[in-house]
Amino acid sequence: MRSSLGAVCALAALATVLSTGCQSALGGGGEDGRPGERRTATESPTPTRTSGYGAVFLDVDECSSFGRTSFTEVSCDGERAAARVVARHDGTVRDGPRCPATTDFVLHISEQHPSFDEDGDGAVPRGYACMRNLQPPHPGDPGGGGGPRTIVGDCVYGLPGGKVRETACDGEGKHKPEYKVTEAVDAKSRCPASTVLFVRLGGAAPVGCARPV
């Protein structure tokens, strides 16, 4: 994930969530200049702190409510719980570690000064939480058609201007799949002969080998 296709670009629909995957073909950069990651179009709003569910706001294995433009930390056993934190990092997606491959979406946490916080200094640092839905669908799974990263098993379709965007491999999405990433390798020369598109994935094996579907 070489034909005439080039860089992928698509901004998430709302400020705090990275969901539908879009990706850069080799030779270009992603929206934030980092292969395999997307960022939101605008700054995310300040999330509401719900005390009593952990020492750190949205720490690993804690859960968020259904809202993505305005969200709260809730008990994972409660009916309001929608997604679980699989990784949590301070700073920004651009500069921080990558989310796990099957992350469904990313919540951005703006720096804030709530009445409850993790260390009692009256502040929650800016950061981001890599989220996994508690129930299907899981757009971050291979072929799922979304998630903040493009991974082996994902499909893409072409856009005007030599760009591609991720879509569901089962053809049930708005756009039919045209190419599927079958391997991740460290150099284009290691892709199989059936490869027609190279997609920048990032990480230790940054080249995605994609074939027609």
Side-chain angles (χ1 to χ4, degrees), residues 131-142:
M131 309 298 297
R132 175 84 173 171
N133 293 330
L134 294 179
Q135 302 293 333
H138 293 290
D141 283 352

Side-chain angles (χ1 to χ4, degrees), residues 117-213:
D117 66 279
E118 48 260 44
D119 58 8
D121 67 353
V124 172
R126 182 181 184 185
Y128 57 98
C130 309
M131 309 298 297
R132 175 84 173 171
N133 293 330
L134 294 179
Q135 302 293 333
H138 293 290
D141 283 352
R149 294 179 54 183
T150 301
I151 59 178
V152 173
D154 281 340
C155 294
V156 298
Y157 67 95
L159 291 171
K163 300 174 183 179
V164 295
R165 183 178 297 167
E166 191 177 326
T167 190
C169 288
D170 62 10
E172 296 299 317
K174 184 177 179 181
H175 299 275
K176 299 298 183 182
E178 297 177 1
Y179 306 91
K180 184 173 185 177
V181 179
T182 58
E183 293 185 40
V185 297
D186 59 4
K188 290 188 292 183
S189 61
R190 296 185 180 274
C191 284
S194 59
T195 301
V196 298
L197 178 70
F198 304 103
V199 178
R200 189 186 297 273
L201 304 181
V207 181
C209 314
R211 59 172 176 76
V213 296

